[in-house]
Amino acid sequence: MKKLHILSILLITFLTFSIPAEARHRYKQISISELPSEGKSFLKNHFKKNKVYHIKRDKHGYDIQLDNNIKVELDYYAHWKQIKTKEYGSLPQSIQKLLPKKTNSYIRQNFKDWRITEIKRKDYGYKIELDNGRRDAELKFNHNGDILKVDY
């Protein structure tokens, strides 16, 4: 029994170190030049003033970390899935152009002094997180820009 235990530990150790790091972590660090042209254009159009810290690629897409605590997730085809900022940051105004006009109108009318801190594409449409310094709100819209739900 003791030999089986030691053999198991040795086997696990061997397998752990014999598998390449990329396979273990299931992502690969890439440079901006390796990003598909659609992803490069997206960054240039919306984040040209931001520095790219790193880009990770996995089988689902790309995770891009920018300065100002901004994180961008792109799908495998480099279409945006999620854009968010951490604490007290705000996303560029150009990001609002990615949303339906009705969505932007609703936010301007009902959340005038709030910052958009996250937008995410969902099956039903869009999830948008807002912050006004005192509290957060989560809005859900369908693909046409009609409001579905508001959570505080």
Side-chain angles (χ1 to χ4, degrees):
M1 190 67 162
K2 189 174 184 179
K3 287 182 183 181
L4 183 60
H5 188 272
I6 292 172
L7 187 59
S8 297
I9 291 172
L10 289 173
L11 182 62
I12 290 170
T13 304
F14 172 75
L15 290 175
T16 301
F17 290 106
S18 65
I19 298 172
E22 183 179 326
R24 280 198 310 268
H25 298 294
R26 295 198 169 106
Y27 69 83
K28 179 183 178 188
Q29 189 101 6
I30 65 168
S31 69
I32 196 162
S33 64
E34 296 174 271
L35 197 61
S37 60
E38 178 131 354
K40 290 178 202 170
S41 295
F42 181 83
L43 292 176
K44 183 179 178 185
N45 291 336
H46 301 287
F47 299 102
K48 60 184 159 206
K49 294 181 181 178
N50 296 88
K51 180 182 176 189
V52 176
Y53 284 139
H54 62 78
I55 304 172
K56 294 179 183 178
R57 181 182 70 204
D58 65 16
K59 65 182 180 179
H60 301 290
Y62 304 87
D63 288 335
I64 304 166
Q65 183 66 50
L66 306 171
D67 62 353
N68 294 342
N69 288 319
I70 296 174
K71 182 181 177 189
V72 177
E73 287 184 36
L74 306 176
D75 66 14
Y76 183 77
Y77 302 103
H79 300 127
W80 73 273
K81 292 190 318 186
Q82 181 178 16
I83 306 162
K84 67 180 181 177
T85 184
K86 298 178 184 175
E87 300 180 34
Y88 308 116
S90 62
L91 297 175
Q93 290 288 337
S94 65
I95 294 300
Q96 292 180 3
K97 294 177 186 172
L98 301 172
L99 301 169
K101 288 181 181 181
K102 286 171 84 174
T103 299
N104 288 319
S105 294
Y106 183 88
I107 292 171
R108 272 194 307 275
Q109 289 172 4
N110 298 288
F111 295 91
K112 184 180 176 185
D113 297 326
W114 294 59
R115 299 177 293 111
I116 297 176
T117 58
E118 179 177 349
I119 64 171
K120 188 173 189 176
R121 279 193 196 179
K122 303 294 268 180
D123 291 336
Y124 57 79
Y126 304 95
K127 180 181 98 171
I128 301 172
E129 293 189 15
L130 305 167
D131 182 300
N132 71 357
R134 293 183 302 279
R135 62 190 224 187
D136 300 330
E138 180 181 288
L139 312 177
K140 294 181 180 180
F141 295 88
N142 66 18
H143 292 286
N144 297 324
D146 299 314
I147 188 73
L148 300 173
K149 187 176 183 181
V150 177
D151 281 329
Y152 290 96

